[in-house]
Amino acid sequence: MRQRNKPWAEEMFAEHPQFVPTTPSERKGNWNDVFQNNNPLHLEVGTGKGQFIIGMAKQNPDVNYIGLELSSSVMVSALEKLIVEDVPNVRLLNENAQDLQSLFEENEVSRIYLNFSDPWPKNRHEKRRLTYKTFLDLYRVVMSPKGEVHFKTDNQGLFEYSLHSFSAYGMTLNHVSLDLHQSGMEDNVMTEYEEKFSSKGSRIYRCEAKFRI
């Protein structure tokens, strides 16, 4: 769905540096200083309107969360939520996932969440999928040796593709679910898309993938 352009979004980001850090590339390797603690750092790539990351941060106050979102018109909705909730362990970055290495030092991130990513179903767009091998290369660099990628989608084709991509890369798969909401998983925090699709009876697919040391 095409999002309505919100030209005032970047001005709003600038007005709230406590939630949207300025010059984030200068924080590389020092994100614990931003949060003023040594808690593990979890990153959501494609944070959308922020429901998931804010929910996770409230559920896990001993973890620092960063939400990365390319669209400023989408991310401003996450910022609006964050201003109301005032959750101290969340920061938002209006950045491209291709630039992860300019934002994070090697081994700085403990976990990456990929939630309802664009499936890019056409073969010629394969390289744009966030589970394509070049993105896995980026994740591996910024993640700690025991770090995990947690992936959720309603798109069966993307899920099957991603399982193959993770496996071909040599990653270990855990907790693979073909119907998350019937799996008995506790403490699942839903995204806006997840609520929408599951309410219509769509299956939610989920897995965890870990790089081999």
Side-chain angles (χ1 to χ4, degrees):
M1 181 182 296
R2 185 179 297 275
Q3 295 292 330
R4 180 169 61 88
N5 184 43
K6 299 177 181 177
W8 43 268
E10 292 187 11
E11 181 179 345
M12 190 171 178
F13 297 159
E15 293 173 352
H16 295 87
Q18 74 274 32
F19 297 127
V20 186
T22 57
T23 58
S25 61
E26 295 180 7
R27 322 287 176 157
K28 177 180 177 179
N30 297 295
W31 284 104
N32 282 344
D33 292 341
V34 173
F35 290 97
Q36 299 184 333
N37 59 54
N38 291 314
N39 292 337
L41 181 63
H42 291 189
L43 170 68
E44 184 183 18
V45 178
T47 204
K49 296 182 179 180
Q51 178 170 299
F52 175 83
I53 199 167
I54 293 173
M56 289 294 291
K58 292 169 69 175
Q59 190 178 95
N60 303 285
D62 56 346
V63 176
N64 298 327
Y65 290 89
I66 291 180
L68 193 75
E69 175 56 53
L70 179 60
S71 171
S72 59
S73 295
V74 173
M75 196 181 88
V76 74
S77 296
L79 176 57
E80 290 171 336
K81 289 187 180 74
L82 192 52
I83 292 170
V84 173
E85 297 284 354
D86 194 22
V87 184
N89 55 326
V90 177
R91 299 295 185 276
L92 302 172
L93 301 182
N94 183 208
E95 302 288 340
N96 195 316
Q98 295 177 340
D99 299 324
L100 284 182
Q101 284 185 261
S102 68
L103 299 168
F104 302 100
E105 191 57 82
E106 292 183 14
N107 305 328
E108 192 170 14
V109 178
S110 297
R111 183 176 298 170
I112 288 178
Y113 298 97
L114 304 174
N115 293 318
F116 299 86
S117 309
D118 193 325
W120 294 107
K122 296 181 180 178
N123 289 336
R124 67 175 183 270
H125 293 152
E126 179 187 10
K127 293 181 180 180
R128 299 183 184 182
R129 299 170 191 161
L130 291 179
T131 52
Y132 183 67
K133 59 184 178 182
T134 54
F135 282 106
L136 299 183
D137 286 338
L138 293 175
Y139 306 155
R140 183 166 193 171
V141 170
V142 302
M143 290 182 72
S144 60
K146 295 183 179 180
E148 298 175 339
V149 176
H150 290 198
F151 177 64
K152 285 199 291 188
T153 182
D154 67 306
N155 189 292
Q156 182 178 351
L158 179 61
F159 189 67
E160 292 173 352
Y161 170 87
S162 300
L163 291 180
H164 180 268
S165 183
F166 292 145
S167 297
Y169 200 88
M171 301 176 75
T172 302
L173 295 173
N174 296 301
H175 304 295
V176 178
S177 176
L178 302 181
D179 194 348
L180 174 61
H181 293 178
Q182 299 299 320
S183 68
M185 178 182 174
E186 298 180 356
D187 300 325
N188 177 52
V189 175
M190 290 198 285
T191 74
E192 292 88 349
Y193 278 118
E194 187 172 353
E195 285 186 344
K196 176 183 176 180
F197 295 137
S198 62
S199 69
K200 294 181 178 180
S202 299
R203 285 189 180 188
I204 305 302
Y205 304 90
R206 183 184 183 275
C207 73
E208 299 172 8
K210 186 174 182 178
F211 293 103
R212 293 178 181 171
I213 302 174

